[in-house]
Amino acid sequence: MKRYTVDGIFSVRPGAGTGRVFLPPADSMEKDTMWGRLHIRMRLPENGLCHIYTLAGNDKEMAEQLPDSAGADPDKRAGFFHTYGRKAGTNSENVLLSDMRGRYLWIYIEAAGPGKAVFDEIFIENPGDEFMQMFPEVYQEPGCFLERYLCVLSTLYRDMQRKIDESASLLDAESADRELVRLYTRWMGFADVRLGLTEKEERMLLLNLYWLNRRKGTKAAVLRLCDIFMEAGPNVMDVAKEELFLAFEQQPDPGRSEKLSRILKRFLPAGLRVRIVCGQESACCDGHIYMDVNGMLAPLPEGSLDTGAQCGRCTVL
């Protein structure tokens, strides 16, 4: 089975007139191709109407005179489809193209009604059905009732098979929908917790959550969480008087520090408080330091606690 995809989202606002969408031509690279099934996802306004016209041929230059000419009059282009093309369907997301033969396939969509009409997820499949190919050739009459009936079953079968094939991506933390990522995070023990994480942080946390749950209360878990939320390991890590001190060289970011503090509490022993210190601009030595006389550090940097308070010039951790 071959699939030809038309990328993009197309929208029109017909209003009192007619909205027209001329899709780029599909090229099968083979002459006299018998086109199969066309799928277009439609989002029409209330009481909206949509007609689909198709045109096929082997000579692209002949049809380019009107359908694909950007400067051509839309009325003339639409009339070209009305005269030489075929009306494939009305308000139908799946239509058969069994009587369309040619290397190139042009598609014209005509919408009417108040409001905005949107068309996307457009693709053409060849052949249009799979079940018809299993019958003897005497029954394979294009456009007959049997073909149309079997095409309905074939469409249902393909759509179901495509969903089954894509089901693995629903379990992929890197590509799954964000709501699914949050659901999987709740399954891993973060139920009813508002962490205020970005989408990237949620995905990174989920990818490491199984590993972290097996190492709760360990130094390795703390370092991994620092890498995720601070994008760097701490320069100083110390535990004293039921408090965990983490000192980072990077500039203070209250948002990051607060997120890291909330997450760490779920992986540390109960009652252990977290203190995060972030350095500011680093100090530098002046030109006389090598003489061991009149040397100085300027400016003397200060630290910033996770509470927002500034550390003094002498802070004991």
Side-chain angles (χ1 to χ4, degrees), residues 51-317:
H51 302 293
I52 301 174
Y53 294 87
T54 58
L55 175 66
N58 292 320
D59 189 357
K60 187 177 182 180
E61 294 182 357
M62 179 275 297
E64 276 183 346
Q65 295 175 3
L66 282 177
D68 292 337
S69 178
D73 181 39
D75 293 334
K76 291 183 178 179
R77 298 170 70 185
F80 192 88
F81 279 95
H82 293 161
T83 304
Y84 300 101
R86 181 183 74 91
K87 186 176 180 180
T90 300
N91 288 12
S92 300
E93 292 192 341
N94 295 279
V95 294
L96 279 178
L97 305 174
S98 55
D99 55 345
M100 291 284 102
R101 291 179 179 269
R103 173 176 172 175
Y104 302 98
L105 177 69
W106 292 267
I107 303 170
Y108 162 57
I109 303 174
E110 199 173 73
K116 183 179 180 180
V118 181
F119 309 96
D120 58 2
E121 296 184 9
I122 304 173
F123 60 84
I124 306 105
E125 289 182 338
N126 287 341
D129 65 90
E130 296 177 349
F131 300 147
M132 193 67 176
Q133 310 300 321
M134 303 178 184
F135 282 81
E137 188 174 356
V138 66
Y139 294 103
Q140 297 182 20
E141 181 181 350
C144 66
F145 172 79
L146 179 61
E147 182 190 28
R148 296 196 301 271
Y149 176 78
L150 292 178
C151 189
V152 175
L153 302 180
S154 180
T155 299
L156 295 175
Y157 169 77
R158 285 183 178 176
D159 292 344
M160 185 182 300
Q161 185 62 46
R162 184 168 57 254
K163 291 180 180 179
I164 293 174
D165 295 338
E166 296 174 353
S167 60
S169 63
L170 300 177
L171 302 176
D172 187 355
E174 296 181 352
S175 60
D177 187 76
R178 189 175 184 181
E179 292 301 323
L180 287 177
V181 172
R182 292 176 175 174
L183 175 63
Y184 301 150
T185 305
R186 292 197 295 269
W187 287 356
M188 297 290 287
F190 278 74
D192 301 327
V193 178
R194 294 183 178 180
L195 303 176
L197 306 182
T198 63
E199 183 175 353
K200 179 182 177 181
E201 291 170 341
E202 289 177 350
R203 295 184 186 277
M204 288 297 298
L205 178 61
L206 179 60
L207 287 170
N208 292 274
L209 204 48
Y210 177 76
W211 186 92
L212 290 168
N213 281 335
R214 300 182 64 186
R215 292 165 178 81
K216 282 188 175 181
T218 65
K219 178 181 177 181
V222 174
L223 294 177
R224 178 66 65 86
L225 289 170
C226 290
D227 289 336
I228 295 175
F229 293 98
M230 303 298 288
E231 298 182 356
N235 297 81
V236 179
M237 179 177 177
D238 189 24
V239 179
K241 297 181 180 180
E242 298 183 352
E243 288 186 332
L244 171 65
F245 291 91
L246 299 173
F248 296 89
E249 183 179 357
Q250 60 186 345
Q251 296 290 326
D253 186 340
R256 283 188 175 185
S257 301
E258 185 178 354
K259 292 176 185 178
L260 178 60
S261 179
R262 287 200 300 262
I263 294 291
L264 282 174
K265 292 178 182 178
R266 303 183 62 84
F267 292 94
L268 295 176
L272 186 65
R273 292 181 295 178
V274 180
R275 292 290 181 262
I276 300 176
V277 180
C278 295
Q280 294 186 351
E281 184 180 356
S282 59
C284 58
C285 301
D286 66 3
H288 297 87
I289 193 67
Y290 72 96
M291 300 176 60
D292 197 22
V293 62
N294 294 330
M296 62 178 296
L297 296 176
L300 185 64
E302 297 180 352
S304 175
L305 292 174
D306 55 342
T307 58
Q310 296 291 320
C311 299
R313 293 179 178 270
C314 182
T315 302
V316 180
L317 299 180

